[in-house]
Amino acid sequence: MSLAFIDLAAQQSRIRPALDRAIAQILDEGKYIMGPQVGELEKKLAEFCGATHCLSCANGTDALQLALMALGIKAGDAVFVPSFTFAATAEVVPLVGATPVFVDVLPDTFNMDPESLKRAIVHARDIGLNPAVVIPVDLFGLPADYDVLIAIARENGMKVIGDSAQGWGGVYHGRVTGSLCDISTTSFFPAKPLGCYGDGGALFTDDAELAALVDSFRVHGKGKHKYYNERIGLNSRLDTLQAAILIEKLAIYADEIEARQIVAGRYTDGFSGQYETPHVPEGLTSIWAQYTLKMKDTAEREALQARASAAKVPTVVYYPVPLHRQTAYSAFPADPAGLTVSDDLAGRVVSLPMHPYLGTQDQDRIIAAVIG
Ligand SMILES: Cc1ncc(COP(=O)(O)O)c(C=O)c1O
């Protein structure tokens, strides 16, 4: 029998009665847009990560765009993003008229490389851009090195947006992602560690003025009244139904994060010595959006994928082409020293099935198929 890469059905059966009740309540009440569940969820999300304000929105990409809009990012501004990430991190930058500048990642954590960031900032200034924002990404669930990256941003008068779409709820030296940056964002895409049953996203900030701006931008730039338009905005709200679903999922999220640690720990025990397993620096907790091995080369990866596929174990390559090599992004500036680690990782990494409901028998089957 084929295994699921991410088994959402197992989670659903655990909370199905609560979901049915929550959905039925909304059908009874009929408040489909900005119903009371939206505010309740925002309060609970803010409490979970320790941020002062949470504002939900339509998806994680909009969350990033709304963050840039609230910070007033515009043409001539440089926004520093890793190349080894999902396209949304960079996509929103030209959408607000600014220029993405690609930064390399570290070979062990796959997260933004501070030295590459420094080179990219100098380069951006050399070509006449104004360094404005850094967007570290918590790739595969592991928090980026925020203290170091925020210090570089501050030295250069920049703001920081944490893209925690894959890592919201991870721990960075005692603090939870979502509470570490000027603004942090996340995605509730169904396959994300905290996902809903459609699209959804959220922003977090401790700054009341930024929170008020995001609240305006997410509803057509509304003023005190929804038919007073003070700025050009978006239509980017989280549906009440999705909020109600997320309230039930958030209630078991801490428990699921624990369960992910156990799966990751067993994988690492199973693969150590044979493959390069994920590195989690001291003081950090990954939420394991992905469990990703680093092969020696592409040939070794292809052999592993073929073996796994024959044993009906799915594997996925996140990401086969770094953004600075993509047709849509290759003309944008990058660290002039080159993005050698991003290029290298794209040819060698492979991700295995990962979710909190992966039982020990299935884990053993996966480990056996991967080792061969
Ligand atoms: C790192 C990263 N940023 C942003 C996003 C965008 O989120 P969404 O798909 O909800 O727009 C995703 C996920 O899709 C992501 O993985």
Side-chain angles (χ1 to χ4, degrees):
M1 214 181 75
S2 287
L3 285 174
F5 192 72
I6 295 175
D7 185 357
L8 293 174
Q11 180 201 51
Q12 191 185 105
S13 65
R14 175 176 174 184
I15 54 171
R16 183 66 190 250
L19 290 173
D20 286 340
R21 275 195 303 277
I23 291 168
Q25 187 184 342
I26 292 166
L27 297 185
D28 289 343
E29 292 170 356
K31 294 188 178 136
Y32 305 119
I33 300 288
M34 289 298 192
Q37 289 81 353
V38 175
E40 184 187 337
L41 173 71
E42 289 173 339
K43 192 163 166 282
K44 289 185 163 150
L45 289 167
E47 273 166 19
F48 188 99
C49 70
T52 314
H53 306 277
C54 168
L55 294 115
S56 58
C57 64
N59 55 66
T61 309
D62 279 5
L64 287 163
Q65 183 172 345
L66 287 163
L68 291 172
M69 291 166 83
L71 291 171
I73 301 310
K74 57 188 182 312
D77 288 337
V79 178
F80 299 88
V81 296
S83 175
F84 195 59
T85 179
F86 182 65
T89 314
E91 186 176 32
V92 292
V93 179
L95 287 177
V96 299
T99 305
V101 181
F102 290 110
V103 176
D104 211 357
V105 294
L106 294 164
D108 54 355
T109 63
F110 310 161
N111 280 332
M112 190 181 270
D113 174 354
E115 294 307 315
S116 175
L117 172 62
K118 288 182 195 165
R119 288 190 296 268
I121 293 168
V122 172
H123 180 59
R125 285 209 178 93
D126 284 349
I127 58 173
L129 295 170
N130 165 47
V133 175
V134 184
I135 310 186
V137 174
D138 302 330
L139 203 76
F140 304 153
L142 180 70
D145 197 353
Y146 285 106
D147 284 347
V148 174
L149 297 169
I150 290 172
I152 296 169
R154 297 296 183 244
E155 278 160 24
N156 288 278
M158 291 193 284
K159 299 289 186 191
V160 180
I161 299 172
D163 180 351
S164 294
Q166 300 182 13
W168 188 81
V171 179
Y172 181 83
H173 299 292
R175 291 173 297 153
V176 178
T177 57
S179 68
L180 303 167
C181 302
D182 296 298
I183 304 180
S184 300
T185 64
T186 194
S187 161
F188 303 125
F189 183 81
K192 293 287 188 261
L194 180 63
C196 57
Y197 292 146
D199 278 309
L203 301 91
F204 301 86
T205 183
D206 290 337
D207 183 319
E209 269 178 49
L210 287 176
L213 282 169
V214 171
D215 190 33
S216 166
F217 278 122
R218 72 175 167 173
V219 186
H220 306 288
K222 68 173 179 179
K224 282 203 173 55
H225 182 280
K226 76 172 174 172
Y227 297 128
Y228 296 169
N229 304 103
E230 294 188 357
R231 47 188 71 82
I232 306 293
L234 305 176
N235 174 12
S236 186
R237 295 168 293 219
L238 183 71
D239 293 346
T240 310
L241 276 166
Q242 300 301 348
I245 287 159
L246 282 164
I247 288 170
E248 301 307 327
K249 291 200 180 197
L250 184 61
I252 57 167
Y253 190 47
D255 182 51
E256 290 186 337
I257 292 174
E258 279 301 306
R260 287 173 184 271
Q261 307 305 321
I262 295 166
V263 178
R266 265 188 109 243
Y267 271 168
T268 295
D269 289 346
F271 300 129
S272 292
Q274 176 136 358
Y275 297 123
E276 198 173 327
T277 54
H279 172 63
V280 179
E282 192 73 35
L284 272 59
T285 305
S286 173
I287 57 159
W288 301 107
Q290 303 298 339
Y291 185 93
T292 303
L293 292 171
K294 205 159 109 184
M295 303 286 105
K296 274 204 298 287
D297 50 31
T298 308
E300 191 184 49
R301 178 169 76 188
E302 280 170 3
L304 180 153
Q305 290 196 282
R307 255 194 330 274
S309 166
K312 297 196 164 27
V313 169
T315 59
V316 181
V317 174
Y318 300 110
Y319 295 93
V321 183
L323 295 183
H324 72 287
R325 300 269 175 218
Q326 300 274 3
T327 309
Y329 297 99
S330 59
F332 289 115
D335 169 2
L339 307 182
T340 51
V341 178
S342 300
D343 283 330
D344 178 51
L345 291 176
R348 298 208 271 150
V349 291
V350 60
S351 299
L352 306 181
M354 169 51 84
H355 61 85
Y357 303 94
L358 198 60
T360 47
Q361 269 188 344
D362 286 342
Q363 292 165 29
D364 290 343
R365 184 175 146 196
I366 293 161
I367 293 167
V370 164
I371 286 176

